[in-house]
């Protein structure tokens, strides 16, 4: 017979590497077995479904199918009861390469202060916006005169702001993959203006942001918090924007995250650009010195400002990340002592938001350079990371969707990707395949094996995200959104419920593919960063 494609089967719509774990879920359907068929409807595999009961967060009765042992490259469907079929998927080498390229290229599309030329952006070409060369100082910076040239960098998200804390985090997360595989994508250009200059494109793309980050440091070493207008603009293209742009606030977190990522970058760009590397380290040490003297300044939006706050009043994790990177870059005792002191306060946690994930970035840099640490310290970090990764694996094993998350907050997709990130680092550390399989099961969720059925990477999958809360995608009059963005994902706090009618009461389904849904359908640089890391890592080790 001819089975109909059904949303009841949830599967990674991009597919699987031949050696990957291969699973799907079937919800609210009576069945006991499944088949995998090829494009000619030939059965290539059959298996039994495992009943995993009802998932409280989605209200669904979930069955799991596993065909990991089937490895033949090709294009396939899962078929149930000969009546319903999954979206098509592939088994192949190079599987994640197109998604990886798009996820990195999304940063190019987010570049402020320059035009996106047709040569590089195709139909998404657009005029330049936000020159940001004469930004005003908001009184919250302590300044009243003059302007700041703070051009460049990426737009944070669906809005046109630029925020230091999660800019630093995003670059920090992506630098790890370049540290691990400095030559990855050597011959694979992203078609950005720098392509072909002899430097791998991701290094250049990150520099675009790092160069902006550096403009945000005050003469005293402290680092401003953000560059935005006083409020968000409407859904217009960058070139149509005309609000005054301000430099706003100065805080302990922004100063420490700046110190951290610039120390990390100074170490990793030493060969590519020694002069830049030296300046970056200098700026980093000045920032650290400022933060030591101003160790408890939380950023709060001033009364007349309503753009993103990135609220955080716990700084031990930011101190830890900065001290770790400064130690690796300088080997100075002061940083080593600080790093060990703050590590004592490090708590292994799951489902960390950006706010806490900075500590993990420090942790990952140290693990990658464990031979440069004293043996006892290194050993405690290794044991700690393994324990955290094992805890994630245990949760996956008990979870009907094979993820380790039941709380769906703002940007839940990044919480999930960050768990996959931790598992990839555990694989790197131990070589143990189980961590890789876990990272893959989690990635499947992002690309379709989830309670909404969406593939959350714009431009990919069959059930596509079409209306992200992303100003250029909304204003450019092109039907498809700009490709390569991870949507925020289910968010049970529903802060946009006054504007968005959610179709489900369940936390894992609190997602709406509508432009107004800033709480569930925005894009953001620090949600794409773990996607870039995980896609790149899997592409490196599975290919
Ligand atoms: O990712 C941020 C989330 O953790 C917060 O709960 C939320 C509200 O403060 O803000 C999110 O970040 C947004 C930022 O404030 C402004 N640019 C868009 C970001 C993603 O929605």
């Amino acid at each position: 017979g001819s089975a109909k494609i059904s949303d009841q089967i949830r599967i990674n719509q991009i597919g699987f590497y031949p050696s990957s774990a291969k699973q799907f879920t079937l919800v609210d359907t009576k069945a006991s077995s499944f088949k995998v068929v090829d494009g000619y409807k030939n059965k290539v595999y059959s298996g039994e479904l495992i009943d995993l009961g009802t998932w409280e967060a989605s209200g669904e009765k979930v069955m799991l199918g596993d065909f990991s042992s089937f490895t033949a490259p090709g294009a396939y469907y899962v078929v149930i009861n000969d009546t319903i079929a999954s979206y098509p998927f592939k088994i192949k080498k190079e599987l994640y390469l197109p998604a990886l390229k798009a996820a990195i290229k999304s940063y190019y599309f987010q570049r402020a202060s320059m035009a996106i030329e047709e040569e590089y952006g195709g139909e998404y070409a657009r005029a330049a916006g936000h020159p940001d060369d004469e930004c005003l100082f908001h009184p919250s910076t302590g300044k009243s005169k003059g302007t700041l040239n703070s051009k460049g960098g990426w737009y944070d998200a669906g809005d046109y702001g630029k925020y230091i804390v999660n800019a630093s985090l995003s670059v920090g997360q992506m630098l790890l993959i370049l540290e691990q595989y400095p030559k990855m994508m050597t011959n694979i250009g992203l078609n950005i203006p720098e392509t072909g200059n002899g430097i791998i494109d991701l290094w250049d793309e990150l520099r675009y942001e790092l160069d902006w980050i550096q403009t945000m440091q005050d003469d005293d070493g402290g680092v401003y918090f953000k560059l935005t207008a006083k409020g968000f603009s409407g859904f217009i293209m960058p070139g149509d924007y005309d609000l005054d742009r301000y430099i706003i606030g100065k805080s302990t977190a922004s100063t420490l995250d700046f110190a951290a990522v610039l120390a990390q970058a100074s170490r990793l760009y030493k060969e590519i650009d020694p002069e830049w590397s030296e300046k970056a380290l200098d700026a980093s040490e000045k920032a650290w010195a400022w933060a030591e003297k101003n160790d408890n300044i939380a950023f709060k939006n001033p009364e007349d400002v309503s753009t993103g706050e990135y609220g955080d009043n716990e700084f031990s994790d930011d101190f830890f990340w900065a001290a770790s990177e400064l130690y690796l870059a300088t080997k100075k005792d002061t940083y080593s002592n600080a790093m060990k002191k703050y590590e004592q306060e490090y708590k292994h946690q799951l489902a960390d938001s950006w706010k806490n994930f900075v500590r993990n970035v420090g942790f990952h840099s140290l693990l990658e350079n464990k031979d440069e640490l004293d043996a006892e310290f290194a050993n405690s970090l290794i044991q700690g990371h393994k324990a955290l990764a094992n805890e994630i694996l245990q949760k996956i094993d008990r979870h009907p969707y094979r993820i380790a998350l039941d709380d769906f907050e703002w940007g839940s997709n990044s919480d999930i990707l960050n768990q996959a990130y931790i598992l990839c680092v555990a694989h790197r550390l131990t070589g143990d395949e189980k961590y890789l399989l876990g990272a893959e099961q989690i990635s499947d969720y992002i690309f379709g094996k989830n309670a909404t059925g969406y593939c959350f990477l714009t431009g990919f999958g069959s059930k596509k995200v079409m209306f992200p809360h992303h100003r250029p995608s909304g204003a450019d009059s092109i039907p498809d959104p700009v490709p390569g963005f991870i949507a925020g994902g289910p968010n049970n706090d529903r802060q946009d419920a006054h504007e968005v009618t959610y179709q489900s009461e369940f936390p894992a389904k609190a997602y709406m593919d509508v432009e107004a849904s800033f709480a569930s359908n925005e894009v953001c640089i620090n949600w794409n960063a773990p996607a870039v890391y995980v896609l790149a890592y899997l592409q490196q080790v599975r290919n």
Side-chain angles (χ1 to χ4, degrees), residues 156-157 159 163 308-310 354 410 522 524 527:
D156 182 50
D159 64 320
Y163 307 76
E309 187 168 74
Y310 285 113
W354 56 270
W410 199 314
E522 189 160 356
C524 193
W527 302 341

Coordinates of all heavy atoms in Angstrom, one line a residue, residues 156-157 159 163 308-310 354 410 522 524 527, ligand 1:
D156 N 22.9 40.3 17.9 CA 22.7 39.3 18.9 C 21.7 38.2 18.4 O 22.0 37.0 18.7 CB 22.2 39.9 20.1 CG 22.0 39.0 21.3 OD1 23.0 38.2 21.5 OD2 20.9 38.9 21.9
A157 N 20.6 38.6 17.8 CA 19.5 37.7 17.7 C 18.6 38.2 16.7 O 19.0 38.7 15.6 CB 18.9 37.6 19.1
D159 N 16.9 40.7 17.3 CA 17.0 42.1 17.4 C 18.3 42.6 16.9 O 19.2 41.8 16.5 CB 16.8 42.6 18.9 CG 17.9 42.0 19.8 OD1 18.3 40.9 19.6 OD2 18.3 42.7 20.7
Y163 N 25.6 42.6 22.5 CA 25.7 42.4 24.0 C 27.0 41.6 24.3 O 27.2 40.5 23.7 CB 24.5 41.6 24.5 CG 23.1 42.1 24.2 CD1 22.6 41.9 22.9 CD2 22.4 42.8 25.1 CE1 21.3 42.4 22.6 CE2 21.1 43.2 24.8 CZ 20.6 43.1 23.5 OH 19.3 43.5 23.2
G308 N 17.5 43.9 25.7 CA 17.8 42.7 26.5 C 18.7 43.0 27.8 O 19.6 43.9 27.7
E309 N 18.4 42.3 28.8 CA 19.1 42.6 30.1 C 20.2 41.6 30.4 O 21.2 41.9 31.1 CB 18.1 42.7 31.2 CG 18.7 43.1 32.6 CD 17.7 43.5 33.6 OE1 17.1 42.5 34.1 OE2 17.4 44.7 33.8
Y310 N 20.1 40.4 29.9 CA 21.0 39.3 30.3 C 21.4 39.4 31.8 O 22.5 39.5 32.2 CB 22.3 39.4 29.4 CG 22.0 38.8 28.0 CD1 22.0 39.7 26.9 CD2 21.6 37.5 27.8 CE1 21.7 39.2 25.6 CE2 21.3 37.0 26.5 CZ 21.4 37.9 25.4 OH 21.1 37.4 24.2
W354 N 22.8 30.3 29.3 CA 24.0 31.1 29.0 C 24.7 31.6 30.2 O 25.9 31.7 30.3 CB 23.6 32.2 28.0 CG 22.6 33.1 28.6 CD1 21.2 33.0 28.5 CD2 22.8 34.2 29.5 NE1 20.6 33.9 29.3 CE2 21.5 34.7 29.9 CE3 24.0 34.8 30.1 CZ2 21.4 35.8 30.7 CZ3 23.8 35.9 30.9 CH2 22.5 36.4 31.3
W410 N 13.3 29.6 28.2 CA 13.7 30.5 27.0 C 15.0 29.9 26.4 O 16.0 29.8 27.1 CB 13.9 31.9 27.5 CG 13.9 32.9 26.5 CD1 14.5 32.9 25.3 CD2 13.2 34.2 26.6 NE1 14.2 34.1 24.6 CE2 13.4 34.9 25.4 CE3 12.4 34.8 27.6 CZ2 12.9 36.2 25.2 CZ3 11.9 36.1 27.3 CH2 12.2 36.7 26.1
E522 N 12.6 32.9 18.6 CA 13.7 33.8 18.2 C 14.9 33.0 17.8 O 15.0 31.8 18.1 CB 14.0 34.8 19.3 CG 14.9 35.9 18.9 CD 14.9 37.2 19.8 OE1 14.1 37.3 20.7 OE2 15.7 38.1 19.5
C524 N 19.4 33.3 18.1 CA 20.3 34.0 19.0 C 21.7 33.4 18.8 O 21.9 32.2 18.6 CB 19.9 33.8 20.4 SG 20.8 35.0 21.5
W527 N 22.7 30.5 20.8 CA 22.0 29.2 20.6 C 22.6 28.5 19.4 O 22.6 27.3 19.3 CB 20.5 29.5 20.4 CG 19.9 30.2 21.5 CD1 20.4 30.3 22.8 CD2 18.6 30.9 21.5 NE1 19.5 31.1 23.6 CE2 18.4 31.5 22.8 CE3 17.7 31.2 20.5 CZ2 17.3 32.2 23.2 CZ3 16.6 31.9 20.9 CH2 16.4 32.4 22.2
Ligands
LIG1 O1 18.4 34.2 26.1 C1 17.9 35.2 27.0 C2 17.0 34.5 28.0 O2 17.8 33.6 28.8 C3 16.3 35.5 28.9 O3 15.4 34.8 29.7 C4 15.6 36.5 28.0 C5 14.9 37.6 28.8 O4 15.8 38.4 29.5 O5 16.5 37.1 27.1 C6 17.1 36.2 26.3 O6 18.0 36.9 25.4 C7 17.5 37.8 24.5 C8 18.2 39.1 24.8 O7 17.8 39.6 26.0 C9 17.9 40.2 23.7 N1 18.2 39.6 22.4 C10 17.5 38.4 22.1 C11 17.9 37.3 23.1 C12 17.2 36.0 22.8 O8 15.8 36.0 22.9

